[in-house]
Amino acid sequence: MSQFAEPTETVEANRYELTALDRCDACGAQAYIRVQVATGELLFCAHHGRKHQEKLSTIAQSWHDESARLHESD
């Protein structure tokens, strides 16, 4: 059973919760994905979030995805 919300639903519910100060744990780019696991949280850019999503889905308690913001225009 998946515990993940659809990205658009998550973005609307928690609009701009992640900021430019939140950085990807893998590469240091701006984080758009927050994954809550039993030992804490992981932050990822959109690229690394997608790359690790399948593996993390087995241990993730929640998945907050704001990557849809990358396609918004100002």
Side-chain angles (χ1 to χ4, degrees):
M1 177 194 307
S2 176
Q3 297 179 11
F4 303 121
E6 290 296 319
T8 53
E9 177 184 321
T10 303
V11 170
E12 291 302 318
N14 300 301
R15 194 121 183 106
Y16 302 109
E17 188 175 327
L18 293 170
T19 70
L21 298 175
D22 295 309
R23 309 312 287 183
C24 176
D25 292 330
C27 70
Q30 184 173 346
Y32 288 93
I33 297 172
R34 176 187 291 120
V35 182
Q36 188 69 39
V37 294
T39 57
E41 74 176 15
L42 299 168
L43 299 176
F44 293 110
C45 63
H47 165 77
H48 284 109
R50 281 190 301 273
K51 179 179 178 181
H52 299 296
Q53 185 172 7
E54 185 177 340
K55 187 178 285 186
L56 288 173
S57 67
T58 61
I59 62 168
Q61 295 174 345
S62 68
W63 189 278
H64 176 83
D65 187 341
E66 295 184 10
S67 60
R69 290 177 38 209
L70 291 167
H71 303 289
E72 292 179 352
S73 59
D74 291 330

